[in-house]
Structures are given as structure tokens and as C-alpha cells.
Amino acid sequence: MAHVPEGIFLSGEGDDPVWVDEFHIDTFPTTNADYARFCAATRRAVPEHWENGRCPRDLYDHPVVHVTWQDAHAYATWAGKSLPTAEQWEKAARGTSGRTFPWGDQKTAAKCNVRETGVERTTSVSRYHSGVSPFGVYDMVGNVWEWLATATTPGRYELRGSTFTSPLFRGVPAIPNDANDTMHDDDTGFRCVATPEQMEPRKR
């Protein structure tokens, strides 16, 4: 996990100053291999795209998809973590100084898996080294939408980050999206965060 210190960052399309407490965030989105361990431990239903109930070997290090918000929340709870709030996720993606993309202000589609890249499917979560955020976090633009803890209305939650089918401009971390908590698709996954209190048992 990457450490994000407490402090103010410039948030939203208006770059408004917002305070966020210290937290850690997964360096990569939750992968199929990660999710397979969760399903084995909890006997939760596996994602529908897995062949015969097993994750294809070539997708082990790709982000898990076809997960609802409820699935993502259950995984985070099992892992002793949480889903990120919108503020936590955006700070981890943009840093503190209001950059447009994780890597800066340049519209460089080659730094992420979006429509212009032409891959047209998920990719390994560690593929785009040049697109990492100021805190060293991968895939904050493109690859898959990521479920957040922040509700927009009852039963609907924010998504951020865009996907391999999205144009680059849609992946700007300051721009929110949302969906019903029962929605699942081939372009939607998640990652987790942990507070210092949640991290403490890992240090023992």
C-alpha cells in the first residue's frame, strides 16, 4: 500500500482546498488473483467472466471486474480495509497541487489504458509505470472504473478513474461518476484503503 500523509489537497474541478487525514491506499487495483483468495475463503460467488468458476491464468494480474459495490465492500471488510472515499481516492490520484492527471497536466494517453491506447481490454495493473500518481499509485486513470465508499443517493455510489473503453478526458480524477450498487460490468473494479488504525495489526 502507498502512504498518503494528512493535509490539504486541491479537489474537484474547481481545485478547492480540502483536508484529508492520513491513510494508505492499495498501489494497484484489486486483481483477479486477490479476489480469488477472497472467494475461496468466504465462498462468495466468483465473477461471471471466470471460466468454469476459475480465473483464467492470463488474467491473474488484471483488475477484477464484474463486481458490484456490495462485492467490493465485502472484500474490503474481509481484508481489514475499506473502500476509499471520493476525497481519499482523488488525493491519491492527483497529489496535493491540483494536477489534472496523475502524471501531470499533459494529455498523454500512452500513460494509461484508455480508448486512445487501443488495447480494448483490461491490462496488468503494473503495466503503466509512467502513469503513476505522485504517491506511486498505479491505474488511477483507465483500465477500470473503481467503486468508492461515497454515496451519491441511497443505493448509488461514486466511481472514479474511467476504463479501457473511455476517452482520456473522461479519466480526469476530479470528475465523478456513479452507479447503482448492484451494477456490475466488464470495466468496473475497485481498490482499498486503510487508516493508521487498520494498518496497526499488519505491523505486529
Side-chain angles (χ1 to χ4, degrees):
M1 302 186 83
H3 177 243
V4 180
E6 68 178 18
I8 290 172
F9 82 106
L10 300 182
S11 173
E13 296 178 79
D15 285 343
D16 302 308
V18 172
W19 175 275
V20 176
D21 290 335
E22 173 190 11
F23 66 98
H24 288 74
I25 188 166
D26 289 342
T27 304
F28 306 108
T30 302
T31 64
N32 284 292
D34 296 330
Y35 201 78
R37 289 188 285 272
F38 162 65
C39 291
T42 63
R43 304 198 175 191
R44 197 172 187 91
V46 302
E48 66 179 48
H49 67 293
W50 290 7
E51 299 168 2
N52 301 314
R54 298 175 68 90
C55 175
R57 188 172 294 275
D58 64 337
L59 296 180
Y60 279 1
D61 64 347
H62 287 223
V64 67
V65 294
H66 282 298
V67 286
T68 66
W69 184 90
Q70 305 290 352
D71 293 329
H73 177 71
Y75 176 97
T77 301
W78 171 79
K81 303 178 185 180
S82 307
L83 293 179
T85 65
E87 290 79 12
Q88 287 173 327
W89 192 97
E90 187 183 343
K91 182 175 181 178
R94 299 180 69 192
T96 59
S97 59
R99 55 176 62 189
T100 305
F101 296 102
W103 56 84
D105 295 325
Q106 309 83 17
K107 297 176 181 178
T108 313
K111 294 180 179 291
C112 55
N113 182 12
V114 289
R115 182 189 297 171
E116 292 92 331
T117 315
V119 178
E120 299 181 347
R121 66 191 295 255
T122 61
T123 50
S124 167
V125 295
S126 61
R127 176 169 173 169
Y128 291 95
H129 302 288
S130 64
V132 299
S133 83
F135 298 106
V137 186
Y138 283 67
D139 275 1
M140 301 300 268
V141 173
N143 219 359
V144 294
W145 287 109
E146 298 185 16
W147 284 115
L148 303 183
T150 302
T152 53
T153 57
R156 292 184 70 86
Y157 289 86
E158 278 202 30
L159 298 159
R160 295 275 178 124
S162 80
T163 175
F164 61 90
T165 60
S166 304
L168 177 62
F169 74 84
R170 192 68 184 92
V172 170
I175 300 176
N177 188 14
D178 73 343
N180 190 283
D181 62 6
T182 58
M183 186 277 293
H184 62 90
D185 209 339
D186 66 353
D187 63 1
T188 305
F190 67 98
R191 77 179 74 216
C192 301
V193 296
T195 63
E197 292 76 22
Q198 288 171 316
M199 290 293 293
E200 195 59 37
R202 304 168 201 276
K203 298 176 183 177
R204 292 174 186 160

